Amino acid sequence: MKNQFAALASGLAAVTLTVISPAAAENAPVVYDASFENAAHHEARITASFRDLAEGPFVFRMSRASPGRYALHEFAKNVYEVSAVDGGGHALKVEQRDPYSWRVEGHDGAVTVSYTLYADRADGTYSQIDRTHAHLNMPATFVWAEGLEDRAIEISFAVADRRWKAATQLQPAGGRLRFTAPNLQYLMDSPTELSAFDLRSWKLSDGQTIRLAVHHDGNDEDMDRYAAKAQKIVAEQVAVFGAAPKFDHGVYTFIADYLPHVAGDGMEHRNSTIITSTSGLYEADFAQISTLSHEFFHVWNVERMRPAELEPFDFSRANPTPSLWFAEGFTNYYGDIARARSGVTPVDDYLDDLAKTLTFIINAPGREVGSPQSMSLEAAFVDAARAIDPDNRANMFVSYYPYGEVIALALDLTLRTQFEDVSLDDYMRHLWKLHGVTEKPYTHDDLRKGLTDVTGDAGFAAAFFASYIEDGDLPDFAPLLAAAGLKLEADDPEKASLGRVAFEEKGDALLIASNTLTGTPLYKAGLDRGDEILSVGRFTIDSKADYEKAMKRHNPGEEAVIRFTSRGEEFTAKTIFAADKTLKITPYEEAEIEITDAQKAFRKSWLKTEIDAGKED
């Protein structure tokens, strides 16, 4: 194993401050040291040493944004006990002029900052320190200095548990738990897990290494099964582009925490990804492979093939882009279809999930409010952003993840239908050649031009982008899926519904827990979040079971009186039941519809497997 996976020496290593003389070369590296003596209380003690500084005030700060996230996150709130000394060890006055930064004056060209970090959330955005691990997202962990962003970085970790190793994309620097980064951007993009994790690795055909580091409570059999699934996913996605990207140092690392005390998440990085779940591998039946598949596709789409608005990433503000429908949505499409193509997920399961996504997007009222582009710009408010006031997202926002996914589906099937030997894979490969291999950030116009290039039809590309990206229309998916011998239809058109809604049961009271959706019977009747449903027609409603019983006793088009309370006042209203809008996708063979050889060939080319493919063990 490489140095970063070596066992630690016994005992708690002391924090060592690296001293660089004033005569040192220009651009002396920034040196970080972190120790975890108070891990039981989720604290780290961190020092950051800066040398060869210009005269005048020195400002250091915590980030407000994190790579892969598009909203603000106030990491400075967990930093305290801040102090600083100069190169001679003399105390410097630290002045805080805003919530995110600190300022010192009177230094001698060197400043060493010390502070305590509180961290107790393990996911793709934050950090967690406890007796089991140190899960570090770098923007949530380390201060940085204005004007020194291009300096090389050295970083060391001191831990007490001899079993702890490091999973990270940082480059080993010799010694135990010592690493380097070429600059601040790379450091902040390099999450690190320090724990007694399990490790599996394999080689790609080009000689590069994939590592799977999992901190979990499972056994070796769980790890072996998960690694086998991951290897199939990686191979399938590499096949889309013909080759893996050139990973820095020739290594890519999946960093996973599957423990009850972490938060579920996934976050991509240049040569690694963070995956977290509260469920163990066996407990979740290896469902974490879905997140792994999504995040790995990002090594092409987002990490190297990047929207222009994200370059360079600004750690002091939100980083919006109107292209998340492509960056995240198309990644969602490939993350899902790779599981089916590789055999990791049965095709029937993939089609069931696809039907649910289509049901959600086709019936989403938010599509009347904005396009995929405008929904992408809403990320600053929804991408793990935090707020306490209620909102109306259910009616004015459609997540760019499933929205972009169905656009990718539409484009893939349309290309395969209208153009000979052209698919979405060809489009992605073309964009990769122009904007991934070269790492030249793309614009909205670049994406449209790329579609013109692969189809040779500027009119088609312009019309597709105008209708489905800029205006937010959707095609008729039924004929597109029919080309693959798949029938898209209502799952139960005779089932009555008052609209998709979430409920909360409180004793014998059934409360509406989500905003009712525009245009649904509940919305038209005046019910909204927080209201209690008392009766529907002749049925008294005390529970979800009562509500479902009422739905089953009525038919679409029937009228009934609904009685409810809203903020202490009782109301009655007439409502007309709608037909349930849930969709299903059925293979022609199961629907007893004759399927042609052309449809079978289309399906095989698209899904690369048979409908009756069994579930992979």
Side-chain angles (χ1 to χ4, degrees):
M1 293 185 291
K2 295 183 180 289
N3 289 335
Q4 63 265 50
F5 295 109
L8 299 180
S10 62
L12 182 65
V15 173
T16 301
L17 301 184
T18 302
V19 178
I20 300 176
S21 70
E26 216 173 311
N27 296 328
V30 176
V31 180
Y32 294 98
D33 294 271
S35 62
F36 310 97
E37 293 93 336
N38 203 23
H41 296 288
H42 315 296
E43 286 185 341
R45 190 64 185 170
I46 298 173
T47 65
S49 299
F50 307 91
R51 299 291 188 267
D52 296 337
L53 304 178
E55 293 183 4
F58 173 71
V59 177
F60 58 98
R61 64 172 61 249
M62 283 296 287
S63 298
R64 302 184 68 200
S66 184
R69 284 262 109 96
Y70 310 104
L72 284 176
H73 301 279
E74 305 297 4
F75 301 123
K77 68 182 179 297
N78 286 324
V79 171
Y80 46 96
E81 296 180 333
V82 181
S83 63
V85 298
D86 64 15
H90 303 107
L92 295 169
K93 181 181 178 181
V94 179
E95 182 181 9
Q96 190 169 15
R97 293 189 173 183
D98 62 44
Y100 329 106
S101 66
W102 298 261
R103 172 188 176 106
V104 297
E105 297 188 21
H107 60 80
D108 59 358
V111 174
T112 295
V113 176
S114 300
Y115 59 96
T116 298
L117 174 77
Y118 182 85
D120 193 24
R121 182 180 173 88
D123 63 7
T125 307
Y126 297 96
S127 296
Q128 183 175 70
I129 298 160
D130 58 35
R131 294 181 180 91
T132 69
H133 68 167
H135 170 102
L136 306 177
N137 185 43
M138 300 316 196
T141 304
F142 293 110
V143 299
W144 51 276
E146 294 180 348
L148 305 186
E149 293 90 346
D150 292 332
R151 297 268 186 109
I153 290 166
E154 299 173 0
I155 184 168
S156 299
F157 302 103
V159 300
D161 194 327
R162 292 174 57 89
R163 300 170 301 167
W164 282 19
K165 305 161 287 188
T168 182
Q169 68 179 31
L170 294 169
Q171 176 72 349
R176 291 172 176 168
L177 297 184
R178 296 178 62 86
F179 305 92
T180 63
N183 50 45
L184 183 72
Q185 286 279 339
Y186 194 91
L187 173 70
M188 292 299 183
D189 193 45
S190 302
T192 298
E193 168 76 15
L194 302 168
S195 66
F197 55 79
D198 283 339
L199 179 67
R200 300 291 185 274
S201 65
W202 64 92
K203 293 283 189 181
L204 299 179
S205 60
D206 61 7
Q208 297 190 101
T209 299
I210 304 294
R211 299 187 301 208
L212 177 63
V214 181
H215 183 203
H216 67 135
D217 293 329
N219 57 32
D220 286 344
E221 182 183 356
D222 294 342
M223 273 297 295
D224 291 340
R225 290 183 63 188
Y226 191 46
K229 293 173 183 288
Q231 193 166 355
K232 291 180 179 180
I233 293 292
V234 168
E236 181 57 46
Q237 294 188 6
V238 168
V240 172
F241 293 93
K246 296 299 181 184
F247 302 123
D248 300 329
H249 319 305
V251 177
Y252 182 89
T253 306
F254 292 105
I255 305 170
D257 283 286
Y258 300 140
L259 296 162
H261 57 273
V262 307
D265 199 8
M267 183 55 61
E268 74 279 359
H269 298 276
R270 183 172 174 85
N271 303 293
S272 64
T273 197
I274 284 286
I275 313 170
T276 56
S277 173
T278 58
S279 299
L281 289 167
Y282 182 79
E283 177 188 359
D285 195 20
F286 301 89
Q288 296 92 341
I289 199 67
S290 176
T291 304
L292 181 146
S293 186
H294 175 97
E295 302 303 338
F296 188 69
F297 197 81
H298 274 314
V299 302
W300 293 276
N301 191 21
V302 169
E303 285 304 321
R304 290 161 177 82
M305 195 160 62
R306 289 178 66 76
E309 297 83 5
L310 300 185
E311 284 294 307
F313 193 85
D314 189 338
F315 301 105
S316 66
R317 63 171 180 84
N319 288 254
T321 172
S323 297
L324 292 184
W325 59 269
F326 178 79
E328 295 290 355
F330 276 43
T331 296
N332 231 37
Y333 176 73
Y334 274 101
D336 286 347
I337 204 168
R339 291 187 289 113
R341 288 175 172 178
S342 65
V344 167
T345 296
V347 177
D348 285 341
D349 289 353
Y350 168 73
L351 295 177
D352 287 345
D353 290 342
L354 187 60
K356 292 174 184 176
T357 302
L358 286 171
T359 297
F360 174 72
I361 295 299
I362 290 172
N363 297 301
R367 287 200 305 108
E368 300 298 323
V369 177
S371 68
Q373 281 188 305
S374 64
M375 295 305 166
S376 296
L377 292 175
E378 292 288 309
F381 309 123
V382 299
D383 184 45
R386 297 180 179 274
I388 61 173
D389 58 318
D391 58 50
N392 196 25
R393 292 281 159 198
N395 286 308
M396 52 77 62
F397 173 71
V398 184
S399 172
Y400 37 83
Y401 285 89
Y403 206 168
E405 180 178 354
V406 301
I407 292 170
L409 171 69
L411 182 55
D412 198 2
L413 297 180
T414 300
L415 290 174
R416 293 172 183 273
T417 302
Q418 295 187 19
F419 297 90
E420 186 175 357
D421 297 325
V422 178
S423 71
L424 192 65
D425 294 355
D426 296 298
Y427 179 54
M428 299 303 291
R429 282 191 288 266
H430 180 69
L431 292 176
W432 172 247
K433 180 179 178 181
L434 295 180
H435 300 283
V437 176
T438 62
E439 299 202 34
K440 177 185 177 183
Y442 63 79
T443 65
H444 175 75
D445 288 341
D446 289 329
L447 296 179
R448 182 175 55 221
K449 183 179 182 302
L451 189 55
T452 296
D453 293 341
V454 296
T455 61
D457 190 335
F460 169 80
F464 188 91
F465 269 74
S467 295
Y468 305 134
I469 309 302
E470 295 156 11
D471 290 342
D473 293 336
L474 289 178
D476 184 351
F477 283 96
L480 291 175
L481 289 166
L486 300 171
K487 185 178 182 180
L488 178 67
E489 60 183 337
D491 183 39
D492 187 356
E494 301 302 317
K495 181 180 179 181
S497 171
L498 294 178
R500 178 171 58 85
V501 67
F503 291 111
E504 178 185 8
E505 291 180 319
K506 284 191 174 182
D508 59 356
L510 184 65
L511 305 179
I512 296 176
S514 63
N515 297 50
T516 55
L517 299 184
T518 304
T520 62
L522 284 176
Y523 186 93
K524 292 177 179 179
L527 286 82
D528 211 331
R529 179 180 47 82
D531 293 350
E532 178 187 353
I533 299 179
L534 302 176
S535 64
V536 175
R538 296 172 59 187
F539 287 88
T540 299
I541 306 298
D542 293 327
S543 65
K544 293 179 186 177
D546 292 340
Y547 183 84
E548 288 301 321
K549 186 184 296 183
M551 296 303 105
K552 291 178 181 179
R553 290 291 294 275
H554 290 86
N555 297 311
E558 289 183 357
E559 184 179 281
V561 172
I562 186 167
R563 187 166 58 91
F564 62 99
T565 61
S566 180
R567 304 200 171 184
E569 187 175 354
E570 185 172 318
F571 297 88
T572 59
K574 289 184 179 180
T575 187
I576 298 176
F577 290 92
D580 185 86
K581 295 184 178 181
T582 302
L583 299 173
K584 66 178 179 180
I585 298 174
T586 308
Y588 277 14
E589 298 91 327
E590 296 178 17
E592 298 183 349
I593 300 174
E594 184 177 354
I595 185 170
T596 67
D597 289 341
Q599 289 169 323
K600 288 181 179 179
F602 186 104
R603 183 195 295 170
K604 182 71 173 179
S605 175
W606 172 42
L607 296 178
K608 296 181 171 51
T609 188
E610 301 295 339
I611 289 294
D612 60 354
K615 187 173 181 180
E616 190 265 345
D617 290 332

